[in-house]
Amino acid sequence: MKTDAHEKEKEEVIKIMARVFAIDPSTITLDVRIEDLAEDSVQLFALILAFEEYYGTQVEYEDLVSIDTVGDIISYVSARKSETLT
Amino acid sequence: MSTREWHGGNVCTAFASVDEVFLSEFSAHERAYSNMLPTSKRAEHLAGVVALRRAVSELYPDVAHIEILRQHDAPPIVLLDGEPLAAGTISVSHSQGVGFAVATREYCMIGVDIQSSERFPLTPEQFFSQEELEWKTLNTPVLLWAYKEALLKALGVGLVLHPKRLTLSLNDAGELCGAKVDHTALCATGIQVRQIPGSVSVFVTLKSEGLPALSMPRERSYYSAL
């Protein structure tokens, strides 16, 4: 089911973020801003690298201007995966 | 830590520590903005505000009241006795309980960065360009990252541009003298590096004359604030 796939995607994204930011995954909700979770820009960059490694795809750096919250990241990852599959 | 330093012309940098943050010295707006930040980030953000105020007050010694207005997704606005700063450029960074800021009287391509040298998880392969990976530099990766981040801020693009697309030029002493984005050369006209316990800070000025416009979106404001 699409909903299950979306939930799995969400869990994966949150797990990666919790590992990179070294925080409790339960504190990561969809409306939290990424800048509020990252300690600094090095952590933000490390997050991009972690997503690239996990999904085996290059992040388009220019797309970052439209990403603000955890929910935005999940939407972005879902969209990139769909692009890769089609 | 209460350092202010002129760099000739109309440029001033300043540091401030979280130990110098006293809530009563901030306006209602400044306090309200910091209260929207996670608790762990408030004091460091305000240290950045104090550093920026110090740099601006050096440029405008006759101004009695300086306020830094911030809004989500918008660059900071400096108010001098209630009036927005009409010209000039600012850049702010903070890390490890220290705020670092630069202010200029006129428009300049400037950027600052302060990085923890004790906690730096990146390897050179993750952010060095191919050319840089062939170097035999004595500089530590954290200093080269700070150079890159300050340059990306000076360009106004932040992490929207992958650090690998930026190749640094160092002189024989390992000091930054320029850089290039892909094949576009950048000339660094002013550089300050400070090694402070647990951190390294970098301030760079780029020569804007003759620099072709780089085709990329502007950074989100928060990249410049980190």
Side-chain angles (χ1 to χ4, degrees):
Chain A
M1 276 172 66
K2 193 181 173 186
T3 312
D4 289 342
H6 184 74
E7 276 303 309
K8 193 161 177 274
E9 198 100 287
K10 186 177 142 188
E11 277 176 28
E12 281 173 1
V13 167
I14 288 176
K15 205 186 292 177
I16 293 169
M17 294 182 81
R19 176 171 54 80
V20 173
F21 296 155
I23 54 175
D24 180 351
S26 67
T27 61
I28 304 176
T29 54
L30 294 186
D31 58 342
V32 174
R33 296 172 67 202
I34 300 153
E35 68 160 299
D36 290 345
L37 295 175
E39 275 186 26
D40 55 23
S41 52
V42 171
Q43 273 201 345
L44 279 175
F45 184 65
L47 181 67
I48 296 168
L49 295 175
F51 281 127
E52 286 183 335
E53 188 184 356
Y54 187 82
Y55 292 104
T57 181
Q58 287 266 305
V59 168
E60 295 295 330
Y61 276 61
E62 296 188 2
D63 293 343
L64 295 175
V65 290
S66 60
I67 293 175
D68 187 24
T69 64
V70 174
D72 292 339
I73 286 198
I74 293 166
S75 304
Y76 178 76
V77 166
S78 301
R80 287 305 303 269
K81 275 181 97 171
S82 307
E83 283 170 22
T84 310
L85 293 172
T86 51
Chain B
M1 177 179 290
S2 181
T3 313
R4 271 171 273 208
E5 195 168 315
W6 281 94
H7 296 273
N10 296 309
V11 182
C12 187
T13 54
F15 290 88
S17 149
V18 290
D19 298 334
E20 300 168 282
V21 168
F22 301 104
L23 282 181
S24 59
E25 294 178 2
F26 294 93
S27 70
H29 178 96
E30 288 168 334
R31 285 199 301 270
Y33 181 80
S34 77
N35 285 339
M36 291 193 299
L37 300 174
T39 314
S40 60
K41 291 190 163 190
R42 287 177 195 166
E44 215 168 76
H45 161 77
L46 290 172
V49 172
V50 172
L52 182 55
R53 276 196 200 153
R54 283 186 178 148
V56 172
S57 70
E58 204 71 42
L59 296 176
Y60 299 93
D62 298 334
V63 170
H65 184 71
I66 297 167
E67 188 177 7
I68 314 295
L69 300 187
R70 290 295 308 271
Q71 283 184 319
H72 174 52
D73 267 6
I77 297 169
V78 179
L79 293 183
L80 305 179
D81 288 334
E83 293 294 323
L85 182 64
T89 316
I90 56 169
S91 182
V92 187
S93 182
H94 40 77
S95 177
Q96 300 288 95
V98 176
F100 179 38
V102 59
T104 69
R105 273 185 189 273
E106 294 166 0
Y107 171 75
C108 292
M109 294 180 78
I110 53 167
V112 293
D113 188 46
I114 183 165
Q115 284 294 332
S116 164
S117 48
E118 293 171 346
R119 185 182 45 78
F120 187 72
L122 304 177
T123 62
E125 291 74 18
Q126 290 174 316
F127 68 94
F128 277 25
S129 68
Q130 198 54 45
E131 197 177 321
E132 289 167 337
L133 284 173
E134 292 165 14
W135 289 353
K136 290 184 174 57
T137 176
L138 296 175
N139 282 325
T140 56
V142 67
L143 175 60
L144 299 184
W145 171 272
Y147 277 151
K148 288 198 174 202
E149 190 155 5
L151 284 165
L152 293 174
K153 286 181 181 175
L155 288 168
V157 297
L159 282 180
V160 169
L161 190 145
H162 196 301
K164 283 186 177 183
R165 287 179 59 192
L166 184 66
T167 299
L168 305 173
S169 300
L170 306 182
N171 61 21
D172 292 340
E175 296 158 343
L176 183 73
C177 52
K180 62 184 177 187
V181 175
D182 301 331
H183 299 292
T184 304
L186 310 172
C187 178
T189 56
I191 297 147
Q192 172 201 304
V193 178
R194 267 179 198 276
Q195 306 274 357
I196 44 182
S199 300
V200 58
S201 71
V202 168
F203 156 56
V204 296
T205 313
L206 286 176
K207 184 180 175 187
S208 55
E209 294 84 19
L211 184 66
L214 295 165
S215 171
M216 60 193 73
R218 300 291 91 181
E219 64 180 334
R220 291 187 74 86
S221 64
Y222 63 76
Y223 291 130
S224 64
L226 286 167

